[in-house]
Every structure is written in C-alpha cells, then in structure tokens.
C-alpha cells in the first residue's frame, strides 16, 4: 500500500490510464474484427471499406502509445494482402 502522497496519486493516475487505454485497444479490436468478418464472408468491397475506417484507428493507437508501431504496420500489411488476394481470385 502506498504511504506517501505522490505514490497514492500515481496509483489513481495509473488506474485511470488503464481504463482509458483498455477502451482504446477494445475500440481498435472492434474495427479490425469488422475487416476480418468481411474477409471471412468473401466480401472484398466491404473488407476494403472496413479497412479504410480501421486504418486511422490503428494509427491513433500508435500515436496514443497503446499499440506498437511495427505491430500495427504488420497487421495493416497482412490485412491489405488478404484483401488484394481476394480481389485477384
């Protein structure tokens, strides 16, 4: 248990940040899931539209520090490649 004022403040701040960051990550997951669902339904145009909406959310996650830059780049690359492959087939 915290014994001095700055430690107690830090505990409150960390809890608030964890709540906010959790909701940010959840929001990003939802947008990515919409792309995945469109891909599994073999709907390339819906997947492409969902990806266009998901991309700024992923970038915002990087800017806010809740996601790693390279992880987001990898995810975007793989989703884009899957959409491209679906269009080609």
């Amino acid at each position: 248990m915290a014994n001095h004022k700055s430690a107690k403040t830090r505990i409150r701040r960390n809890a608030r940040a964890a709540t906010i960051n959790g909701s940010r990550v959840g929001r990003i997951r939802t947008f990515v899931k919409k792309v995945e669902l469109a891909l599994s339904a073999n709907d390339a145009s819906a997947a492409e539209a969902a990806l266009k909406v998901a991309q700024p959310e992923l970038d915002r996650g990087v800017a806010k520090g809740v996601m790693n830059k390279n992880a987001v780049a990898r995810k975007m690359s793989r989703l884009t490649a899957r959409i491209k492959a679906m269009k080609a087939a």
Side-chain angles (χ1 to χ4, degrees):
M1 185 63 203
N3 290 319
H4 47 87
K5 189 175 179 181
S6 62
K8 290 178 182 178
T9 304
R10 199 69 189 147
I11 288 169
R12 285 197 312 272
R13 213 153 97 199
N14 288 345
R16 189 164 50 241
T19 304
I20 292 167
N21 289 341
S23 64
R24 281 184 180 139
V25 172
R27 181 177 164 86
I28 291 166
R29 275 199 206 113
T30 302
F31 279 98
V32 172
K33 195 183 294 182
K34 288 178 184 176
V35 179
E36 296 281 351
L37 287 172
L39 283 168
S40 65
N42 288 327
D43 190 354
S45 60
E48 197 168 15
L51 185 65
K52 262 190 195 279
V53 176
Q55 186 172 2
E57 293 295 328
L58 286 161
D59 291 337
R60 194 170 298 123
V62 171
K64 296 291 184 180
V66 295
M67 297 191 74
N68 185 281
K69 175 181 70 167
N70 291 339
V72 169
R74 182 178 64 242
K75 187 168 284 296
M76 284 296 303
S77 175
R78 288 179 181 173
L79 288 173
T80 306
R82 286 174 63 190
I83 292 171
K84 187 176 177 182
M86 184 186 294
K87 281 183 168 181

